[in-house]
Structure formats: C-alpha cells, structure tokens
Amino acid sequence: VLTWRIGEDTDELVIEHDGYRRAAFDLVHRRTVRFDKRTRELLVHDQIIGSDKPQMDAAFMCAPAVNCQQIAPGQLVLGHSAITATLEITWAGMPGCRVEWDEAEVAPGYGTLTGSHCLRIRQNGNDLIVRLRLREATRNDPLHIDRT
C-alpha cells in the first residue's frame, strides 16, 4: 500500500506489486482506486511500470446471472435481475482496446464452483483507466427488467 486517503468527498487507495518479477519480467503493477462519493463513481487506474509496450488486461469477475451489453463504443452496462441498479463501465486508453465477455467460474462457498462470466478489457500500452458508476436502473436501460 503506497497511500490510503479517506476524505469527505473522495477516498483513494494506491497499491502496487512486483509479482511479475518472479516470471522474469521486470515490471511493477500499480493500481489507483478512487471513489467519488458525490457521483458514486469508482475510478480504477492501472499502470505497468518498467516496460514500453506491455499488454494491459483488466479483469472484473461477475456474479452468476449478471448480464452485459455494450451500449456505445467504450461503454458497457452490467445488470442483474435481482437488483434495481446497473453498473456503467467506461474505459479510456489507446486505440485497439478489446473487450471480452469470457466464461469463468466463481466460488460461492468453499470447494464449490459455479459458472459465471469475466469481463476483460485488454489493450496494448502501459496505462488503462476504467470508470465504474453505479446508478438506478431505468426503463430505458437495455438490461431493464419490468417488475410491475
């Protein structure tokens, strides 16, 4: 942990690790996580330090039954039938950014695996910023489920 600040409007955590050195890569992964309490927006800024052109791969494991839909270039909505909110995900980076919705498994309990999905945002470069914003679902959302 490099810094951990808790403020009235914003919380910020900056962490890093050098675990890639065990795989013979002289890289450091630094992640800054900033939560804006006013806008309910979470910013995740990943940096790879020590290489000119690594590939960035941000992975977000999702609970079973979470659905994903791209609503605009560089913007996704994640939703779940049991909640009345959606998660908007926006990423910024260099051209060539790829988004993948991969099959994955999660462990809801010890020794139990359940099918799920993993959202992966991949790009070439050493800088990737992902914004996550939780908001109430509306009837216009592509993943909206009418409960009336």
Side-chain angles (χ1 to χ4, degrees), residues 100-145:
E100 299 168 6
W101 184 243
D102 297 332
E103 290 186 13
E105 291 182 315
V106 295
Y110 182 77
T112 306
L113 292 176
T114 301
S116 187
H117 287 90
C118 178
L119 173 67
R120 293 188 191 281
I121 302 173
R122 293 184 167 152
Q123 76 170 23
N124 293 325
N126 59 1
D127 220 16
L128 177 64
I129 298 173
V130 178
R131 295 182 189 277
L132 301 106
R133 187 166 65 96
L134 184 65
R135 62 178 174 77
E136 274 193 55
T138 67
R139 291 191 181 279
N140 297 329
D141 282 336
L143 300 175
H144 174 74
I145 295 173

Side-chain angles (χ1 to χ4, degrees), residues 62 65-71 75-89 101 119 135-147:
C62 296
V66 167
N67 298 306
C68 177
Q69 184 170 353
Q70 186 163 353
I71 58 172
Q75 190 172 23
L76 297 170
V77 172
L78 296 181
H80 188 283
S81 62
I83 60 172
T84 58
T86 58
L87 183 65
E88 283 184 14
I89 300 176
W101 184 243
L119 173 67
R135 62 178 174 77
E136 274 193 55
T138 67
R139 291 191 181 279
N140 297 329
D141 282 336
L143 300 175
H144 174 74
I145 295 173
D146 192 357
R147 292 188 177 82

Side-chain angles (χ1 to χ4, degrees), residues 1-7 10-16 29-37 42-47:
V1 174
L2 299 177
T3 60
W4 188 356
R5 288 185 222 120
I6 298 173
T10 305
D11 296 342
E12 182 178 82
L13 174 67
V14 181
I15 54 179
E16 71 179 26
H29 174 214
R30 179 175 294 160
R31 174 170 283 175
T32 301
V33 179
R34 185 175 300 125
F35 179 62
D36 186 322
K37 297 173 185 177
L42 186 70
L43 175 106
V44 179
H45 183 184
D46 284 315
Q47 296 173 288

